[in-house]
Amino acid sequence: MKQVVSNKRVLVTGGAGFIGSNLAIKLVELKANVTIVDSFIPEYGGNLFNINPIKNKVKLNISDVRDEHSMKYLIKDQDYLLNLAGQTSHLDSMQNPYADLEINARAQLSILEACKRYNPEIKIVFASTRQIYGKPHYLPVNENHPLHPVDVNGINKMAGEWYHIVYNDVYKIRSVVLRLTNTYGPRMRVKDARQTFLGIWIKSIVDGNKILVFGDGKQIRDFNYVDDVVNAILLSAQSNEVNGMIFNLGADDPINLEDTAKIMIDIARTSSYELVPFPPDRKVIDIGDYYADYQKINSSLDWKPQVLLREGLKRTIEYYQKFRKHYYD
Ligand SMILES: NC(=O)c1ccc[n+]([C@@H]2O[C@H](COP(=O)([O-])OP(=O)(O)OC[C@H]3O[C@@H](n4cnc5c(N)ncnc54)[C@H](O)[C@@H]3O)[C@@H](O)[C@H]2O)c1
């Protein structure tokens, strides 16, 4: 990857958020010329502290991907667009469906239109989500699984990814789509459960409060440590063999939520957990058990997660023990 991004211009939308900032830090390490676009809407994951380690080494443009005029100038002259800006809360997408539609669907279309008109040579990687599968019909879920989103966010992310595929196929705007599963690690939003329930669990652990596990705790999930996701994005960016393709990310160690809580408690040696009934507004959009088959990206790009859950959780908890004041104090 080094030769590929070194001295190249890379635009990271959502670059002050959780995954985007870890990606931007890696890109700077690889000597790319990075521009970050982020709107810093307070309910989302953007946080200036996330990009503190690279603050003098990147261009930061505080704008909204819904602003077509800004995006036109930002997209011009870039070699890569790593497209991560998004509204990520499932619950918020039900309570404020139009904002989700504007960001996750309409803005994606206008970003692609800007690429088509002003920079058709650009290479894009789009961060999609496993949420678009809905409740799994079978496990592990591969890319051929039917798409049946259970919330507005899933529908809009599905549109967002398919716009990328259509623009790849019809206009040859090179795009790759990654369907991310639950991602965790340093720089995630932990002040509430907007990004993922793991965020609020980490806060509870760091504060020595009880973790609340919804339902019977037996729901299975697969988790990726953020460095593995960053690696998948970079591998997808560098390969032209995979243009127009959609890949699941996943993990080798799916685990139920109760056991996940136990590992976290064991690492921190504080706190405890309690099984509590699902809040009704969450229950209706819950997908039950999920874990992905990531064979396709493994055989196409040789991607495989490297960080096991216990190690990743340890690094994450240590990060928030040290830096919590930048995330919620
Ligand atoms: N974290 C996960 O578990 C996960 C799982 C599946 C998919 N994803 C996808 O990965 C991407 C990154 O997610 P994340 O976990 O880093 O979340 P995040 O909220 O930390 O990052 C998203 C960033 O986009 C920015 N943003 C939101 N709306 C914007 C707008 N209109 N204009 C400009 N910037 C805007 C936010 O400020 C934030 O910094 C998202 O597209 C998300 O759907 C994440």
Side-chain angles (χ1 to χ4, degrees), residues 150-209:
V150 293
D151 57 31
V152 167
N153 179 260
I155 296 172
N156 294 328
K157 288 294 284 189
M158 184 167 79
E161 68 160 52
W162 284 99
Y163 289 140
H164 284 78
I165 297 301
V166 165
Y167 275 62
N168 177 87
D169 295 350
V170 178
Y171 302 117
K172 309 299 172 213
I173 313 286
R174 298 169 298 154
S175 297
V176 182
V177 167
L178 298 178
R179 289 183 183 153
L180 276 47
T181 188
N182 282 79
T183 307
Y184 70 98
R187 304 184 174 81
M188 66 196 286
R189 182 181 175 105
V190 297
K191 67 170 87 162
D192 51 35
R194 278 204 159 85
Q195 212 164 56
T196 139
F197 65 90
L198 261 192
I200 194 77
W201 284 16
I202 287 165
K203 178 175 187 293
S204 303
I205 283 276
V206 170
D207 292 351
N209 295 329

Side-chain angles (χ1 to χ4, degrees), residues 9-13 35-38 59-65 67-81 114-115 118-119 122:
R9 285 156 301 190
V10 185
L11 181 67
V12 184
T13 68
T35 303
I36 286 171
V37 189
D38 207 292
K59 284 184 209 142
L60 171 63
N61 191 301
I62 301 179
S63 41
D64 196 302
V65 293
D67 179 352
E68 292 174 30
H69 303 292
S70 307
M71 289 314 291
K72 166 182 156 183
Y73 284 99
L74 287 163
I75 281 167
K76 261 185 183 172
D77 303 324
Q78 298 290 340
D79 297 302
Y80 294 94
L81 165 59
C115 292
Y118 304 108
N119 189 355
I122 200 166

Side-chain angles (χ1 to χ4, degrees), residues 96-284:
N96 187 2
Y98 299 111
D100 195 275
L101 174 71
E102 289 291 321
I103 297 170
N104 288 332
R106 193 184 193 287
Q108 302 309 316
L109 189 56
S110 58
I111 286 171
L112 287 159
E113 273 294 301
C115 292
K116 186 178 112 195
R117 295 183 62 190
Y118 304 108
N119 189 355
E121 300 299 316
I122 200 166
K123 167 77 188 263
I124 308 176
V125 181
F126 175 69
S128 182
T129 170
R130 59 113 171 99
Q131 189 69 7
I132 69 176
Y133 292 119
K135 289 187 173 67
H137 298 192
Y138 57 83
L139 291 166
V141 172
N142 59 15
E143 292 83 353
N144 297 326
H145 186 284
L147 304 181
H148 186 157
V150 293
D151 57 31
V152 167
N153 179 260
I155 296 172
N156 294 328
K157 288 294 284 189
M158 184 167 79
E161 68 160 52
W162 284 99
Y163 289 140
H164 284 78
I165 297 301
V166 165
Y167 275 62
N168 177 87
D169 295 350
V170 178
Y171 302 117
K172 309 299 172 213
I173 313 286
R174 298 169 298 154
S175 297
V176 182
V177 167
L178 298 178
R179 289 183 183 153
L180 276 47
T181 188
N182 282 79
T183 307
Y184 70 98
R187 304 184 174 81
M188 66 196 286
R189 182 181 175 105
V190 297
K191 67 170 87 162
D192 51 35
R194 278 204 159 85
Q195 212 164 56
T196 139
F197 65 90
L198 261 192
I200 194 77
W201 284 16
I202 287 165
K203 178 175 187 293
S204 303
I205 283 276
V206 170
D207 292 351
N209 295 329
K210 205 180 261 181
I211 293 178
L212 301 181
V213 181
F214 296 155
D216 63 5
K218 301 296 179 229
Q219 310 96 299
I220 301 174
R221 289 286 180 277
D222 52 359
F223 297 100
N224 279 145
Y225 187 66
V226 66
D227 288 2
D228 285 324
V229 173
V230 165
N231 191 28
I233 294 170
L234 295 176
L235 287 170
S236 305
Q238 75 177 339
S239 165
N240 278 323
E241 314 274 291
V242 296
N243 294 339
M245 292 174 80
I246 296 176
F247 295 110
N248 280 347
L249 301 189
D252 296 316
D253 48 359
I255 181 170
N256 75 40
L257 299 191
E258 187 175 24
D259 289 343
T260 309
K262 285 181 184 162
I263 294 179
M264 291 169 74
I265 290 161
D266 191 47
I267 292 168
R269 303 211 172 277
T270 56
S271 183
S272 57
Y273 73 95
E274 186 182 346
L275 299 176
V276 296
F278 251 106
D281 52 355
R282 288 193 183 270
K283 182 67 197 161
V284 287

